[in-house]
Amino acid sequence: MAEVYFFSFFSLILLVPLSLLLLLYFIVRPNPIRVPIKNRHVFITGGSSGIGLSLAHLCAQQGADVTLLARSVAKLEEAKESIKLATGRDVAVFSADVRDYAAVKRAVEEAGPIDVLVCNHGVYLPQELQDQELEEIKFMIDVNLTGTFHLIKAALPGMKTNRAERGPASIAIMSSQAGQVGIYGYAAYSASKFALKGLAEALQQEIISDNIHVTLIFPPDTETPGFAEENKRRPQLTSIIAASSGAMKADEVAGKSLAGIQSGNFIVSCNFEGFLLSVATAGLSPQRSYLMAFVEIMGAGVLRLAGIFFQWNWYGSIEKWHAKKK
Ligand SMILES: NC(=O)C1=CN([C@@H]2O[C@H](COP(=O)(O)OP(=O)(O)OC[C@H]3O[C@@H](n4cnc5c(N)ncnc54)[C@H](OP(=O)(O)O)[C@@H]3O)[C@@H](O)[C@H]2O)C=CC1
Ligand SMILES: CCCCCCCCCCCCCCCC(=O)[C@@H](N)CO
């Protein structure tokens, strides 16, 4: 009798999760992959400042041929010099606006076939939608979303050429934690960053057979020149809600990003809150890791509850803020 209980106890707390793990081990897709960086052509937009610049340093340190694209020539030259000084490596730079498809195409063609494309450029101008000028709304959509389309469309033909001999390639896209959950003051910005997830999921299915792997990165508030500018105009409630996730240094975010790209992870989170967010918003995204798939399945209910608590807290802050204003 005791043995029967013993067995059913074990089958419940051990056998069930173990068979789930085993099942996941066989069915997760796409299959796990490594994307090498050394001696490969890494093309980074917005590589002249902040997260992109940190990432450029890291890639050059690891022996990649780095190309940077941004608008300001002065900032590009400064970045080029700082990377040469730190790593001894020459970096190619192109001045173009990602909103200008012809200019992007010219730069990408001149730069030569890309192995790792990092769409990191981005602009963020927080404000309540009611008060925000349409021009600023369109600006964020045009740079963050349409600019990313421009880049990928321009780069794909070169990335596909001779891919079999060149090994696995990567397209990494910089979203934001505000691309996983809508945040006060970010109506346009969040929309532009959420949209990147749809783009990434669809694109991965289209290019998996070309051995090109998509990575979506979701940083929290990060200390960069752009963030310093943002802080001058950020609505108080935006800061209060965004503070639910700890701020990071650009170097830390770049480190997480590069590790995620090299592991071919579809979703890359950067801090603990980001990890919780990625489990809470796993949805139908591809998952290469059977362990992460397991965590997502087990965590789904609990993290929905955590999410409800976060909203309770945020709506509490909003209520208090309005009460104080009166
Ligand atoms: N810092 C943060 O708190 C967070 C940032 N992110 C995202 O990370 C990315 C990088 O942010 P961060 O490092 O703060 O950015 P910065 O503002 O410090 O730098 C932005 C970079 O993008 C370039 N860029 C901007 N607009 C264009 C354009 N139209 N065409 C070409 N290049 C452009 C800039 O160069 P130039 O101006 O010369 O064109 C610069 O190199 C963005 O996508 C951002 O949304 C996500 C979460 C948090
Ligand atoms: C279920 C568990 C939930 C876990 C915690 C959720 C915390 C969410 C905080 C979101 C912060 C968004 C910051 C955006 C930063 C950004 O993009 C700007 N700096 C502009 O670039």
Side-chain angles (χ1 to χ4, degrees), residues 45-53 69-73 75-76 96-99 119-124 139 143-144 174-178 189 193 217-227 230 234 250:
T45 63
S48 62
S49 171
I51 298 169
L53 178 58
L69 181 145
R71 288 166 305 176
S72 153
V73 177
K75 279 197 282 173
L76 282 167
D97 190 317
V98 294
R99 289 172 294 174
C119 309
N120 160 79
H121 65 269
V123 287
Y124 35 97
F139 176 62
V143 175
N144 300 353
M174 200 59 73
S175 180
S176 156
Q177 287 183 356
Y189 179 69
K193 294 296 190 180
I217 305 161
F218 295 100
D221 275 343
T222 307
E223 291 165 30
T224 66
F227 184 52
E230 176 187 18
R234 220 184 194 196

Side-chain angles (χ1 to χ4, degrees), residues 4 15 20 32 45 58 82 119-120 160 168 172 184 201 278-279 295:
V4 176
L15 229 57
L20 177 58
T45 63
L58 216 55
S82 79
C119 309
N120 160 79
K160 287 185 180 183
Y184 185 106
E201 287 185 358
S278 69
V279 176
V295 171

Side-chain angles (χ1 to χ4, degrees), residues 173-181 193-194 196-197 215-220 245 248 253 257 266-271 274-275 277-278 281 285:
I173 300 172
M174 200 59 73
S175 180
S176 156
Q177 287 183 356
Q180 296 176 295
V181 54
K193 294 296 190 180
F194 265 81
L196 295 173
K197 187 173 184 182
T215 289
L216 248 183
I217 305 161
F218 295 100
S245 185
M248 291 178 75
V253 171
S257 303
F266 183 76
I267 300 285
V268 175
S269 57
C270 301
N271 60 2
F275 169 76
L277 259 177
S278 69
T281 63
S285 288

